[in-house]
Structures are given as C-alpha cells and as structure tokens.
Amino acid sequence: MAEPTVTERGTRPAGGTTSHAPARRRVRFGGGARIGLLGALAAGAVALYLFHDLPERWQYPMDLRTRTVAAMLLVAVAVGVSTVLFQTITANRILTPGIMGFDAVFMAIQVFTVFALGPMVLLAAPPLVSWLVELVLMSGFVVALYWGLFLGRRLDLHVIVLAGLVLGTVFRSVTAFLQRLLDPDTFAIVQNLAFASFTSVDRTLLLPTALLVLAALASLWPIRRSLDVLSLGEAPAIGLGVEHRRVVMHVIVVVALMVGASTALVGPVMFFGLLVANVAYSVVGHRHSRALPAACLIGLIALVGGQWFLDRVLGFATELPVVIEFLGGVVFIVLVLTGRAR
Amino acid sequence: MLTRPTLLIIAGVVLVTALATASVLVGVAELDGFVLLASRLPRTVALVLTGAAMAVTGLIMQLLTHNRFVEPTTTGAGDAASFALLMLLLTNPGLPLPGKAAVATLGALVGVFGFLTLARRIPVRSSVLVPVVGIMYGGVIGAVTTFIAYRTELLQELLSWSIGDFSGIVRGRYEMLYLAAAAALVAWIAADRFTVAALGDDTARGLGLDSRGVLLLGVTIVAVVTGIVSVTTGLVPFLGLVVPNLVSRLIGDHMRRAVPLVALLGAALVLACDLVGRLVRFPFEIPISIVMGIVGGTVFLWLLLGPASRTGGATRSGNASKAGRATGTAARRAEAVGRRG
C-alpha cells in the first residue's frame, strides 16, 4: 500500500517478484467474477451446513442450525468489514481490532458492569436496553482509549502492534481478576462470556445485532469513495481532498460498534479478522468495493464451512475458535516473515 | 563512599526482607511452628526463588536477542514447555516431578531455539517486531496445545503450568526451584560473557569469545528455569520483561552489576503481587498471574509508550559504552522512525 520501503525490498529481493505474480493473474480473472465465485461457495457452505445429515424430525435441528448460520453471517460481516476498515485507516496488513485488544476491552467492561451493579443488572433490565447501553458505553470507551493512546500521536506501527497485544493481555487479566472477585453464582453467569461460541447464541440478540450492523454499513455509504483514498496514507488523502480526521473518527466508531456487537453475540475471536482480511486482499486486491464483500464472504465460508467440517466430518463440536486462533497466528507469522507486514 | 548500584542493592535487600516478612505473616491459619515450616516459609521461599530466577532469564533472553522486549513467556518457551508436558502426560503420566521438569526443560529448549530461528528471519529490523512475532509464535503453539488438551480433557492441567499460582506450595513441592535459582547464579557468574556476546557475533568472536557456546549456555539457563517453574508454580507473565528494563533505566546495561538487582527486584515484585492477590479478597486468593498481568502489563505499556521511550536509548546513553545494546536499540528505533518518515 502506501510508502514502499526501499530497505525492505533491498533486504529481501525475492519478495518483490513473488508479490507481483498474483497481481498479474488477478487481471485475467475479473474481480466481480471472483466475488461471484465466493458468493456461490458461501451459499454452498451454508446449504451444506443446513441440510447435510438432517434427521427425520428436522424442525429442532433446523432451528438450531439457522440460528448458528445467522450468528455466523453477522460475525463474518462485522469482523470482515471492521478489520478491512481498520487496516485501511492504519494503512497496514497486520493490525486488526482483535490484535489491538478491542474485544478484550469489551469483555472487561461487560464483567465490570456485572461486578459494579451486581448480577441483577443482567436480569432486571430488559436485555435489549442493557445490550444497547453497554454497547454504546463500550464503544465510547474504546474510541477514547485508543484515540488517546495511539491515534492522536505518531507512533511506529510495530510499537502500536506490541502495545495492542499487551493491552489485550492486561484487559484479559482485568476480566479474570474481576471474575475472581464475584461470588460463585454471578461467576457462573459471566464465565460463559469469556469463550467464543457460535453454537449457543442468544436468539433475542440476533435481530438487534443485524440492525446495528446494517445501520453501521449504511453510515459508511456516504464516505465510500473516501475509503480507497484513505488507504494511501494520511498526507496523500488530505491532499486529495478527504477530511481525514473526520472520516477516520467515523470509521473508528463503526469499527468499535461492529466489534462490540460481534463480541456481545459470540464472544471474542482474536485472529479471525486478520485471517479473513488477508485472504480477501490476496483474492480480490485492496479496492474496498471488492475487498469488503470478499472479506465478509470469506468469513462466512470459513465459519460455516469450518463448523461443518469440524462438526459433521471430524465430529469435534466446539473447537472452531481454537482452530481459527491457530490459523490466524500462522498467517500473521508468514506475513511478517515475507515482509508484507508494514 | 557507596556507589549508586550498591545503595540500590541494599535498598533491594531491605525491600525483599520486608515483603518476605509480610508474606510469612499473612495467611488464614493461626501462625504456629507447623504452619510456618510447612506452608508459609516454603511459599515465601518459592516466591523469592521464582521471582529472582524468572527476572534473570528475561535479562538473558534480552541480551541474546539484542532486544529489550522479549522474555520466556513472550517467546514461546512457556508454551513449548506446556506442550512437552502435555505430551508427557498423554504418554507417560506417572513420571515423578524431576522427570516432568526435565521434559518441560527440553520442550522450552526446543521452543526457544525455534523462536531464535524465526527471529533471525524477520526481514524488517524492527526491535518491536521481534516480540510481536514471539507472542504469535507462542500463540500458535498454545492453540495446538489447547486443542489437544481440550480433546483429552486436560485443560485444567494445562492452566496449572501456564498460570502462576503459589497457593498450592507446601514443603516438598517447591525444592526444585533451588535448581532454577542455581541456574540464575550461573548466569551471574557468566555475566561478562553475555555482555560481550550482546555486542554482536563478529565483535564477540574478535574478542575471543565462543559466541555459539554462550548462546547455548544462555538458552539452556532460560529453558531450565522455564521448565522448573512451569511444573512447580506455573509461569508469571511480564516478570522477565519489566524488571530488567526497570533496572536498566536505573543503572544501565552492565550485566554483572545488573543481575543481583534484577534478581532482587524480581523477587520483590513477585512477593508484592502475591500479597496483593492474597489480601484483595481475603480469605480467598487470586492467582499471581492475574495480578501480574495487570501490574506488569501496565508497567510494560508505560515502558513502551511513556515519556522516556520517546528518546529511545538516549536515557541510557550514559551507560552506552558498557554494552552495545542500548545504542543498538536507539539506532534501530531511529531507523524505524526514519522509515516511517
């Protein structure tokens, strides 16, 4: 993307040639056709997950599977879009909201509300109201925290990555710390929050989450043309007439809301965004009109297909998040070692 | 006239003594001879030994990788040790504690060498990318371990190795930590070699040092400490990271002078965090890993983003001649900033 570094090319002559080869192939295969193909694959994965191995009495399993697919669709869109956008405003390929510890912050605040107000807050308030209030509070906190720590000042990218990783650890420790202070009953309530699970989502949250994700997407429509310009970096974007600060702030709020919604629905998935965004770039390139839908579709394929494979083929029920963690970590290391992490 | 390091060491000894006394006095049971000898003293001694040994291993790792931001738990050593222990538990569960420690040490050894190989292949010479890769590398090993542990229902065992907790330490359960402390002592004796090795391969060889041998020694010490601490108390995060950095800010990078202070400060920090964990929800306990994750992580963020880091190695320039590391870091940071430019 922006600022091609001379030192990097110099130290790794092989990198230049390998990264050009797929670019040439990309021209022959239209981006639209690739997205169509991804769409077909995603539809196939969903159909496979829904209908494969369906028992005689299909109503209950069907209901369960539809709910899981709906949750996965929402998470795929939220995580895919938020990661691509986050990488756009930070102009790199390794930084993601997950790696920066966004979801860890959400978890900590969720547990903190229970800790401060007691378990009754989960039962007394209408779930929708508490969900919304929590989401707004959390997003505000995340935006303020990360704006203050990182984006308001000029820091080396790698320092930001490291600080984000450490921040994630700190907030996970805070969550664990608060959990230990709770009494066993309350602990049992919040314990489930800490593990990502696609198969046991709260049905009442599906519709509000969907509305929120749609609203966030709609809010991006007016600035859609600025996004590609934004990925050139701050100075070129300003030079080309983009209101950099305002657009970046807008994008950060959208990212925070989407990560918050996804975390509230299924729990933290740290490396998923990294995996999805980078596969999307290598399939359709960096244009947002292509990369955003591609990231969502790849996310859906990965989640639904992965769950189907683990569930019905291998017979492992719940380890999808662990597998994602593994693959994401490998992708990250490969990105760094091949010099694409800037 | 006392020099600054000597004064700091005296202060450290006083601090550790005070905290250790507090650690002996705090507890649920009425303090009598039996409780003292069977539980309180072992726990306090284990805290001091673990703190000192793990802090020193952090210092060694930092010298070997020429990088201020690495330590055993952020370089896959702990995760590799857990992986080896899990494999052992699946194949030969009856092995006594020393055998387990040996296997964990072996795992950590392989893990650290794997990390060093990876770190050497990072194309961008950025001082911060090395720990980032280390954390990811540890995460990948950890994911595999978690997957296997989950399938074999050994997740709880896994947590006991990777999460430090001193509440289970009684007489007969901690003595192996003396061996870990002995390994740290070896590091002190060989300190000058590490300092020279940190000047770079060519310089070290030019000065007549067997730099491969020193590397092997350093990695072995790190692995022994990681292995033993894993099986006895569980690893404590951020300890090896923040303590050597704080000490380096106080007295610079002279390793032979730094080791005692690093050991003392490490012991003090572990004692203090354990006390906090014991007192916050008295009579229940919070594992030290959680307390340390908050305290150590915050200190690390301050080291990384705080005012002094802006000038890079400049704050340590007075000691730059004593070891090339400070200037090396400063140069790398300047290079990184320039690239951003």
Side-chain angles (χ1 to χ4, degrees), chain A residues 116-202:
Chain A
L117 304 173
M120 288 317 285
V121 72
L122 288 179
L123 309 170
L128 221 56
V129 174
S130 66
W131 173 78
L132 200 64
V133 169
E134 228 170 32
L135 205 58
V136 169
L137 281 181
M138 291 193 277
S139 306
F141 182 73
V142 163
V143 170
L145 181 71
Y146 285 85
W147 188 270
L149 268 186
F150 305 113
L151 301 158
R153 39 201 269 210
R154 306 192 145 270
L155 283 172
D156 183 45
L157 168 71
H158 301 137
V159 173
I160 299 180
V161 178
L162 185 59
L165 282 172
V166 175
L167 210 60
T169 314
V170 171
F171 276 101
R172 269 183 281 279
S173 299
V174 169
T175 309
F177 185 80
L178 291 173
Q179 281 181 338
R180 297 274 175 159
L181 295 184
L182 296 169
D183 63 272
D185 288 346
T186 325
F187 178 74
I189 297 175
V190 290
Q191 191 193 19
N192 286 333
L193 301 176
F195 293 99
S197 165
F198 291 99
T199 45
S200 59
V201 292
D202 186 350

Side-chain angles (χ1 to χ4, degrees), chain A residues 188-270:
Chain A
I189 297 175
V190 290
Q191 191 193 19
N192 286 333
L193 301 176
F195 293 99
S197 165
F198 291 99
T199 45
S200 59
V201 292
D202 186 350
R203 182 198 301 268
T204 54
L205 284 185
L206 281 177
L207 188 65
T209 308
L211 289 176
L212 184 88
V213 169
L214 277 179
L217 285 177
S219 82
L220 288 174
W221 186 254
I223 59 162
R224 66 190 184 282
R225 296 185 200 287
S226 308
L227 291 177
D228 283 328
V229 184
L230 214 57
S231 58
L232 296 175
E234 186 177 351
I238 293 173
L240 289 168
V242 171
E243 273 184 81
H244 188 266
R245 255 189 120 73
R246 193 181 59 84
V247 175
V248 164
M249 197 64 193
H250 181 155
V251 169
I252 290 183
V253 172
V254 167
V255 167
L257 276 175
M258 282 191 164
V259 176
S262 144
T263 311
L265 193 66
V266 299
V269 272
M270 189 168 162

